[in-house]
Amino acid sequence: MVSGPWTPPAQARTGAARLGVLALQGDVREHSRALAALGVQVVEVRRPSDLGALDGLVLPGGESTTIGRLLRVFELLEPLRDAIAAGLPVFGSCAGMILLARDVLDGRPGQPLLGGLDVVVRRNAFGRQVDSFEAEIDITGVAGGPVRAVFIRAPWVEKIGDEVEVLGRVGDRIVAVRQAGVLATAFHPELTGDGRIHELFVGMVEDARGMRAVRGTQGVQGVRGISAQGVSMQGTGGRQERGQVRGTA
Amino acid sequence: MSEGLTAAEPASRGHGPDHGSVPTATLPGAAGAADGAHVGTARVKRGMAEMLKGGVIMDVVTAEQARIAEEAGAVAVMALERVPADIRAQGGVSRMSDPEMIESIIEAVSIPVMAKARIGHFVEAQVLQELGVDYVDESEVLTPADPHHHIDKWRFTVPFVCGATNLGEALRRIGEGAAMIRSKGEAGTGEVSNAVVHMRTIRAEIARLSALPGDELFAAAKELRAPYELVAEVARLGALPVVLFTAGGIATPADAALMMQLGADGVFVGSGIFKSGDPARRARAIVEATTMYAHPDVIAKVSRGLGEAMVGINVSDLAPADRFADRGW
């Protein structure tokens, strides 16, 4: 097979977190590159067998109706829903944000979603491609000044649940949110070469791993991500630290 | 390809010489834009194509076909009046589609809608931008309007995709502002060989540039008849600074996977779907094979029982005047 112009560096840090990038369609390569630059292991996820031993997952930008359909066809929809519901840390940009939503407005009827975020998003809310734009916005929890945010036929968040923290807005529209281990942006940090949003997510993943390791030997022995034990530990152990994160953010 | 975007985005090249500053637009609806929001930047245009990667863009001639394409998992549709196979069969001058037909397709689907303008016909492109089309294909499949000049694509907010048969042609189009490149292949034939040749040629020429010492890139730019800055950028990146799709003759799931394994970022399918026996099923199969291009077990599974493929034309049987790939300069 001819490979693309970019291949992940072989040397992730020893013991580094293992992050999946959902690779059914979209700007997979840009997310993989942004993560690899932070020294984590990156694996592309196309089939259920790729899901083992993940510490976190990124849902890339792309066409949400296409990705949703392929999730169903390749039998990833249910395993991913379960993993996210059980606490697997996830970051979604644009289409990824739509997939994480509880509900979508202006979607295709019956468009499959993964859920995980208690939000309702409006698809293509900022308009068609001629309305796509970039702008500087401040993101809560990201130091060092505003982020250059690229919005492409982008959604916005129209409603949020009580557990959801708003991290960023354009005008009065919500475009970045976090709920426990789930992070979502309506824009594409993977397109700018500014790794701070990915860094924020990797920090969330490391926090979740740390909690598992602290709570028992299973974590140290490598029970990770979506395995039943790892998840249950995360579910019980995560509360306090999540509360602290939310309090300081 | 973030480095590419940053590098290829000097203000001087961002827009046509007559257009001066970066367009700053008020955002639509109740968005209440942040101050200093910019539309139509190179990053926004090229970024749109990045989002289409790994996907299939399908030619459609009616709203009903557009819905079938969306249902099958197309990442976008190309709205046109006649698919290339019919343009070949019927002959005559081929032009931009009726705005009413394009609007009906925009209305019918929620995914991006592309449409074709004739090479050099910047007014057709203005009309398509006005209609809210998401990408304009300045296409050799239509009858060229200008035998010397392509459209100055920097002047537009809407992004453009252009065909190329080799690296020099791709870089000339990018120099004119194209935000996405596709192989030309030989549209409307159902024969994939030209797309293969174009993709291999572009990739081989990129590999060659990457291996050249810096002081030989000036002569390389001259040979390629391409802007030096872009040649140097390609040499540095080992890739085009924009997304590279394939088009022209893809008719089966295996064709799509072949082009992906040869390095395409995604696939345009023109006549191959709606000129086949069971379009919905073939559309789904090509989408699935494009995603799983490196998994022959999946390609084998989705290729079963698809019914008749489009009746092909051997490219070698075409008279030179009937070769669309030779259009464009």
Side-chain angles (χ1 to χ4, degrees):
Chain A
M1 188 189 90
V2 180
S3 66
W6 177 82
T7 45
Q11 72 300 356
R13 279 182 286 106
T14 310
R18 187 176 158 87
L19 274 77
V21 179
L22 185 67
L24 297 176
Q25 191 271 316
D27 67 338
V28 176
R29 199 187 301 147
E30 286 64 33
H31 275 290
S32 297
R33 189 189 339 229
L35 291 171
L38 295 168
V40 300
Q41 299 180 61
V42 183
V43 291
E44 295 191 349
V45 174
R46 286 192 176 81
R47 309 179 117 173
S49 56
D50 299 328
L51 275 175
L54 290 184
D55 295 306
L57 179 69
V58 170
L59 308 177
E63 177 46 53
S64 64
T65 57
T66 302
I67 297 172
R69 182 176 171 277
L70 292 169
L71 281 170
R72 188 177 276 156
V73 168
F74 295 118
E75 296 172 348
L76 280 165
L77 196 61
E78 291 308 323
L80 281 182
R81 272 181 186 158
D82 294 347
I84 294 168
L88 178 71
V90 190
F91 166 42
S93 68
C94 196
M97 173 189 257
I98 293 171
L99 289 166
L100 288 168
R102 165 168 66 78
D103 201 5
V104 58
L105 305 173
D106 295 339
R108 250 182 64 75
Q111 172 176 354
L113 301 176
L114 292 168
L117 265 182
D118 187 14
V119 302
V120 177
V121 300
R122 186 174 292 281
R123 186 161 160 251
N124 303 336
F126 285 103
R128 304 191 67 83
Q129 173 59 16
V130 289
D131 307 309
S132 294
F133 65 99
E134 48 183 299
E136 309 260 304
I137 60 174
D138 289 307
I139 300 293
T140 305
V142 170
V147 166
R148 188 81 186 165
V150 183
F151 293 84
I152 296 174
R153 285 173 53 98
W156 66 45
V157 176
E158 194 134 317
K159 287 184 199 158
I160 60 168
D162 295 339
E163 302 285 305
V164 177
E165 181 186 2
V166 175
L167 301 183
R169 295 173 192 263
V170 167
D172 58 353
R173 295 298 178 181
I174 299 168
V175 295
V177 291
R178 177 178 177 181
Q179 179 179 3
V182 182
L183 176 70
T185 61
F187 55 91
H188 296 281
E190 72 277 12
L191 289 184
T192 57
D194 178 346
R196 287 178 293 164
I197 303 268
H198 288 85
E199 207 174 342
L200 172 68
F201 177 61
V202 169
M204 290 163 59
V205 170
E206 295 293 356
D207 287 349
R209 288 177 89 204
M211 275 182 293
R212 287 201 304 275
V214 165
R215 287 194 56 83
T217 53
Q218 291 100 321
V220 180
Q221 287 170 354
V223 176
R224 284 171 161 182
I226 63 171
S227 75
Q229 282 169 303
V231 161
S232 73
M233 285 190 298
Q234 202 175 341
T236 53
R239 298 285 173 218
Q240 197 183 355
E241 180 162 349
R242 279 179 201 152
Q244 286 165 359
V245 170
R246 294 168 65 80
T248 54
Chain B
M1 304 196 160
S2 49
E3 294 108 306
L5 290 180
T6 314
E9 218 182 359
S12 60
R13 208 201 293 152
H15 300 277
D18 303 341
H19 270 232
S21 63
V22 175
T24 301
T26 310
L27 291 182
D35 289 338
H38 298 300
V39 299
T41 63
R43 188 185 270 151
V44 161
K45 291 174 171 177
R46 294 175 179 189
M48 170 79 205
E50 303 284 357
M51 300 311 143
L52 301 172
K53 282 190 302 193
V56 181
I57 299 164
M58 302 181 191
D59 277 7
V60 298
V61 301
T62 64
E64 180 54 28
Q65 287 186 357
R67 278 188 285 265
I68 291 170
E70 183 180 42
E71 178 76 38
V75 290
V77 291
M78 177 76 69
L80 71 176
E81 248 161 19
R82 296 184 290 175
V83 294
D86 288 335
I87 291 172
R88 285 190 185 285
Q90 295 161 12
V93 177
S94 194
R95 311 179 178 89
M96 176 188 78
S97 298
D98 184 334
E100 194 168 289
M101 172 270 188
I102 293 169
E103 276 177 343
S104 74
I105 287 172
I106 289 175
E107 282 298 306
V109 294
S110 66
I111 56 177
V113 176
M114 301 184 169
K116 290 183 192 288
R118 281 178 271 178
I119 289 172
H121 205 314
F122 50 86
V123 174
E124 286 188 348
Q126 290 165 5
V127 170
L128 294 175
Q129 175 169 285
E130 191 64 28
L131 293 173
V133 159
D134 295 296
Y135 239 93
V136 174
D137 184 2
E138 186 182 15
S139 177
E140 70 282 0
V141 169
L142 306 184
T143 309
D146 188 326
H148 304 292
H149 305 286
H150 283 249
I151 297 170
D152 174 2
K153 294 163 275 285
W154 295 114
R155 290 172 172 241
F156 289 80
T157 304
V158 69
F160 282 74
V161 55
C162 290
T165 59
N166 57 50
L167 181 60
E169 197 175 4
L171 294 183
R172 287 193 293 279
R173 297 295 86 78
I174 296 168
E176 296 155 1
M180 178 181 189
I181 295 293
R182 54 172 174 76
S183 69
K184 283 183 174 172
E186 194 53 57
T189 60
E191 214 230 271
V192 77
S193 66
N194 275 29
V196 168
V197 170
H198 299 162
M199 191 61 60
R200 282 194 185 275
T201 301
I202 291 169
R203 288 188 57 102
E205 289 172 327
I206 290 172
R208 176 179 166 268
L209 277 192
S210 294
L212 284 182
D215 63 353
E216 293 184 16
L217 292 175
F218 299 97
K222 191 178 74 177
E223 287 162 19
L224 288 168
R225 296 188 291 134
Y228 167 77
E229 291 76 14
L230 284 173
V231 169
E233 188 180 3
V234 167
R236 193 177 69 250
L237 294 174
L240 292 182
V242 303
V243 163
L244 173 62
F245 266 50
T246 186
I250 288 96
T252 70
D255 287 348
L258 171 68
M259 298 313 300
M260 293 296 288
Q261 289 201 26
L262 286 172
D265 287 319
V267 179
F268 285 86
V269 184
S271 320
I273 289 172
F274 288 100
K275 284 286 161 190
S276 74
D278 186 346
R281 191 156 173 203
R282 183 167 295 265
R284 289 196 296 271
I286 291 177
V287 167
E288 288 160 27
T290 299
T291 291
M292 296 293 185
Y293 65 90
H295 297 273
D297 58 321
V298 176
I299 301 165
K301 188 176 157 204
V302 304
S303 299
R304 285 170 212 271
L306 290 182
E308 300 243 345
M310 69 176 283
V311 179
I313 304 169
N314 290 313
V315 173
S316 54
D317 294 343
L318 291 175
D322 293 331
R323 296 194 180 189
F324 295 162
D326 295 340
R327 298 170 171 177
W329 10 93

